[in-house]
Amino acid sequence: MTRAIKGALVECDASIRALIVRIDSERHDVVIQELDETHLLIDSNKVDFVKAELNRLLSKNTYNPLDDEEIQP
Amino acid sequence: MASNLFKLTVNDYLEGLPEATQSKLYQSPATCLAIFRLLPNLAKFYIMTMIFNEKPVRLLDLDTWVKPQKRAEQVEGIRSIKSLHILKDNGEVAVLNPKFRENLKNVLTGVDIGVSFGAPCETEDSNKVDISFLDTYASNKWETILHFMVGTELNEFPSKGVLHLLRHSGLMTGGTPKAMVITNEGFQFLLQDVNAQIWTLLLQYLRMAESLQMDPVDVLNFIFMLGSLELGKDYSTSVLSETQLNLLRDLKDYGLIYQRKDSSKRFYPTRLATTLTSDATTLKSASTAMSQVIKSATTTTTTSSNKGNTSGSQESSSTAVSAASSTIENAGSIIIETNFKLYAYTNSPLQIAILNLFVHLKSRFANLVTGQITRESVRKALLNGITAEQMIAYLETHAHPQLRKTAEEVYQKKIQYDANTNEKFHLIQPNITDQIKLWQLELDRILTWDGYLFTDFSNEEEYQVLQSYAEEIGVMLWCDHNKRKFFVTKEGNAQVIAYANRKLRKGK
């Protein structure tokens, strides 16, 4: 039977898609369906949460030159 | 409104006025001269050629005066004077607006110009002020406004009129002076040069004036008159109309005009006012240096990027160097290294405040601030609505001459090595500009749409019918034929479901 599932379509590159899937792997309430390489269907109430999480994860991977200096005496 | 705030120049404003208003403007010789000064060069050339020619000129002749390869400039020049209704043609011959022609002729030959260029005071001012006083006064007033916008702690706030205009033009929001905060448009406003800033505010003022039933012709005449006054001289208020006297009071708040007392019968235009319609530079201050450098840098970068990879690039680079060196004395102050460290030789609190918008500033010395461009600092600016392009443009226009010189040398070497190189001239190291742009892209790494996923179709036909319908009405965002799934927008969902009910029920 045909169904229409409510959600938010996410378009992103593969690396970001992997990150979103990882976010979901801890709580299982974000991703509804994995569509293809660059698309995901996620819970539309979780869009802001996903964006915030992504920001957090991506900032971890960036080098912040100021951190180094604060360690120095 | 606010987004095209800065694109709208005074020329556009004038061109947009109804013809009747324009004709009224041409009654004033000073206005004619000011408009003439604002025109593109080729438009000036046409007017000059036709002004002492009593007979109409054939349109075909207009073409022969200009080299074919400059056709674009010619079209632009003619378009501008046509939309100002200075040039009129009937398809064959062209004539100048008679009033405009007569008045401009009078201005040039110096006869019968009346008081439209202001009435100098007959008597000596007992409290005479000199030019340097006026300059300090004007820059104080103007920078107070800019400082207020960037949120510097101030002893006194700009006047009510200024605050109202800032709010009205969407540069700032908030009720009380203390609670007012700068908007995205405001940030972009700060990155303009002084002249553009003043015009932006004046045009806003004009719009407000229209709604207050002030005659725009009166206002414009006064503004253009200011543009032709002489700095350091005092002028009498006796020839001004009631509207213009009101305007005079308002313009004092912006530092365009100095009056010792409100009741004074004389006023002094400041440099901000007298340079309104000219290319000459305004105040000797940080913001002036800014505007100067912006001007020279925009011309040099356009020449070098236009000619880019042709053999003419060497020539253009050398003109760029000379243009750059001519601005050395009061020019740019920013050195940025490939490691994102930034040094700015400035002591202007305003420039520091602007830098602080997108640079993590670390230490400040007497004539130098140092800082670092970081992901965080750029993101903060991006979230405030400053674009990567604006930041890069700011860095480029304020680049230290040394930085420019080095970049030129590097570019020269590349050309010598390979004359056909496609490499463009980079004033700022490409790794810096690219990174700033990347940080901008990073902000929107994912695109999301709310909607519905249609799935679990029982047969191929059903899928085909609905999918092609959704695609046709333009609500489908994604589909996968193999898995028989497609995604429609929230808005389109109802339509697709209704269609599905109609089609598929009927089939059963």
Side-chain angles (χ1 to χ4, degrees):
Chain A
M1 185 56 202
T2 310
R3 291 193 300 150
I5 309 171
K6 190 179 184 322
L9 180 75
V10 175
E11 186 179 306
C12 55
D13 55 54
S15 59
I16 300 293
R17 181 187 182 280
L19 274 176
I20 299 178
V21 173
R22 209 187 89 189
I23 294 170
D24 181 62
S25 68
E26 289 155 17
R27 26 189 308 149
H28 301 292
D29 61 350
V30 177
V31 175
I32 300 171
Q33 268 197 32
E34 294 178 28
L35 301 176
D36 64 13
E37 287 289 287
T38 53
H39 290 88
L40 285 170
L41 185 72
I42 66 168
D43 187 338
S44 44
N45 298 320
K46 299 273 166 34
V47 171
D48 286 331
F49 165 75
V50 168
K51 282 187 179 167
E53 269 306 278
L54 278 178
N55 263 337
R56 196 177 60 80
L57 291 172
L58 287 171
S59 340
K60 263 204 258 173
N61 294 340
T62 49
Y63 163 66
N64 188 350
L66 300 174
D67 293 345
D68 284 357
E69 282 163 35
E70 273 149 30
I71 296 167
Q72 286 165 19
Chain B
M1 175 198 73
S3 60
N4 56 17
L5 196 61
F6 308 113
K7 286 176 207 138
L8 194 74
T9 63
V10 58
N11 291 43
D12 299 328
Y13 177 82
L14 291 171
E15 286 171 15
L17 288 173
E19 188 177 355
T21 315
Q22 291 174 344
S23 329
K24 263 194 248 162
L25 277 176
Y26 302 148
Q27 306 282 338
S28 153
T31 307
C32 289
L33 183 65
I35 292 176
F36 178 75
R37 285 157 80 171
L38 291 167
L39 286 171
N41 279 337
L42 260 182
K44 282 184 191 148
F45 166 75
Y46 277 128
I47 292 176
M48 272 300 134
T49 335
M50 293 168 73
I51 193 166
F52 294 108
N53 184 352
E54 298 294 332
K55 289 188 187 129
V57 178
R58 290 198 307 146
L59 277 180
L60 287 176
D61 289 344
L62 294 185
D63 291 343
T64 56
W65 297 343
V66 178
K67 283 186 180 165
Q69 60 264 38
K70 292 290 177 190
R71 195 60 75 205
E73 280 176 47
Q74 185 203 357
V75 171
E76 169 58 22
I78 291 187
R79 190 203 57 77
S80 67
I81 45 179
K82 261 192 187 166
S83 46
L84 286 167
H85 296 98
I86 292 174
L87 186 83
K88 287 180 190 164
D89 71 83
N90 61 2
E92 270 179 34
V93 289
V95 285
L96 291 179
N97 179 315
K99 197 76 208 165
F100 181 87
R101 176 158 167 263
E102 189 195 321
N103 274 329
L104 187 61
K105 207 156 80 176
N106 287 345
V107 172
L108 293 173
T109 48
V111 284
D112 191 24
I113 46 171
V115 291
S116 84
F117 284 96
C121 283
E122 304 284 335
T123 51
E124 194 67 21
D125 189 349
S126 48
N127 298 301
K128 209 161 168 42
V129 293
D130 59 1
I131 292 179
S132 66
F133 172 85
L134 286 175
D135 277 354
T136 336
Y137 167 82
S139 64
N140 272 347
K141 280 272 179 191
W142 187 250
E143 298 214 335
T144 305
I145 298 178
L146 299 184
H147 275 299
F148 176 71
M149 291 185 69
V150 291
T152 320
E153 293 281 324
L154 293 172
N155 296 329
E156 54 173 334
F157 292 113
S159 74
K160 266 194 185 143
V162 176
L163 297 183
H164 183 68
L165 190 65
L166 286 174
R167 228 175 280 146
H168 182 84
S169 52
L171 297 175
M172 298 185 84
T173 53
T176 58
K178 278 210 167 137
M180 276 174 79
V181 286
I182 190 162
T183 63
N184 293 347
E185 283 77 25
F187 277 113
Q188 290 164 29
F189 174 83
L190 287 179
L191 299 174
Q192 311 282 312
D193 67 275
V194 175
N195 208 309
Q197 288 174 339
I198 295 179
W199 272 117
T200 307
L201 286 184
L202 283 179
L203 290 176
Q204 285 297 332
Y205 186 92
L206 272 168
R207 268 196 216 105
M208 227 162 70
E210 278 169 38
S211 61
L212 294 174
Q213 309 294 319
M214 282 165 95
D215 185 3
V217 176
D218 242 7
V219 178
L220 275 170
N221 275 341
F222 184 69
I223 293 175
F224 285 140
M225 180 195 82
L226 283 181
S228 57
L229 297 184
E230 201 174 320
L231 185 66
K233 284 231 173 110
D234 49 342
Y235 292 85
S236 165
T237 56
S238 59
V239 293
L240 301 179
S241 70
E242 192 56 39
T243 312
Q244 294 176 333
L245 284 173
N246 278 331
L247 187 59
L248 185 75
R249 276 194 284 281
D250 287 336
L251 290 183
K252 276 197 295 190
D253 296 335
Y254 300 96
L256 268 69
I257 284 171
Y258 169 76
Q259 257 188 324
R260 199 171 61 86
K261 286 197 305 257
D262 283 355
S263 56
S264 177
K265 286 266 175 264
R266 58 181 86 224
F267 68 92
Y268 291 85
T270 69
R271 209 182 283 274
L272 288 176
T274 56
T275 49
L276 271 177
T277 53
S278 77
D279 296 334
T281 329
T282 30
L283 296 161
K284 295 273 173 242
S285 70
S287 33
T288 326
M290 242 159 78
S291 67
Q292 261 186 355
V293 184
I294 283 173
K295 268 187 204 122
S296 70
T298 39
T299 50
T300 53
T301 45
T302 45
T303 49
S304 37
S305 61
N306 280 349
K307 293 184 181 172
N309 45 10
T310 66
S311 58
S313 54
Q314 287 202 341
E315 174 202 349
S316 72
S317 308
S318 60
T319 55
V321 173
S322 63
S325 56
S326 69
T327 55
I328 278 180
E329 314 89 77
N330 40 20
S333 48
I334 296 176
I335 291 183
I336 177 144
E337 298 180 339
T338 48
N339 57 8
F340 296 89
K341 288 198 170 139
L342 181 136
Y343 307 87
Y345 289 91
T346 178
N347 52 14
S348 146
L350 182 66
Q351 199 176 358
I352 295 172
I354 292 178
L355 278 175
N356 197 25
L357 294 176
F358 65 97
V359 181
H360 180 96
L361 292 178
K362 252 182 276 176
S363 27
R364 178 169 176 188
F365 305 96
N367 67 340
L368 171 76
V369 283
T370 69
Q372 177 131 20
I373 293 184
T374 64
R375 181 167 174 271
E376 283 316 306
S377 72
V378 170
R379 281 170 74 99
K380 195 180 78 189
L382 288 169
L383 292 174
N384 275 327
I386 305 175
T387 65
E389 280 70 29
Q390 282 175 320
M391 289 180 234
I392 295 167
Y394 188 84
L395 292 176
E396 276 178 354
T397 48
H398 294 78
H400 194 278
Q402 192 62 41
L403 190 69
R404 186 179 294 277
K405 206 173 127 208
T406 322
E408 290 285 350
E409 278 166 11
V410 170
Y411 186 60
Q412 286 298 331
K413 266 187 202 143
K414 272 190 193 133
I415 289 173
Q416 275 164 17
Y417 182 67
D418 177 9
N420 301 319
T421 175
N422 288 324
E423 194 108 6
K424 289 215 182 84
F425 172 68
H426 294 289
L427 178 55
I428 309 290
Q429 289 293 327
N431 78 316
I432 306 271
T433 52
D434 289 351
Q435 183 63 71
I436 293 180
K437 283 179 193 158
L438 280 175
W439 279 326
Q440 173 167 279
L441 290 178
E442 198 187 271
L443 267 190
D444 25 48
R445 284 293 277 274
I446 61 170
L447 295 169
T448 59
W449 299 270
D450 275 342
Y452 293 86
L453 180 77
F454 284 72
T455 177
D456 299 336
F457 287 93
S458 46
N459 59 52
E460 178 68 21
E461 192 201 338
E462 254 183 51
Y463 168 76
Q464 281 288 344
V465 170
L466 282 189
Q467 187 266 329
S468 54
Y469 175 74
E471 193 165 12
E472 235 166 65
I473 61 170
V475 297
M476 193 191 76
L477 292 168
W478 174 87
C479 72
D480 186 331
H481 292 307
N482 295 332
K483 291 186 195 152
R484 290 194 200 143
K485 284 177 189 172
F486 65 90
F487 189 87
V488 298
T489 59
K490 203 162 62 181
E491 295 74 30
N493 182 48
Q495 266 178 292
V496 177
I497 291 198
Y499 182 80
N501 286 339
R502 267 203 320 273
K503 276 277 159 191
L504 304 176
R505 290 267 164 76
K506 220 196 288 173
K508 273 171 196 167

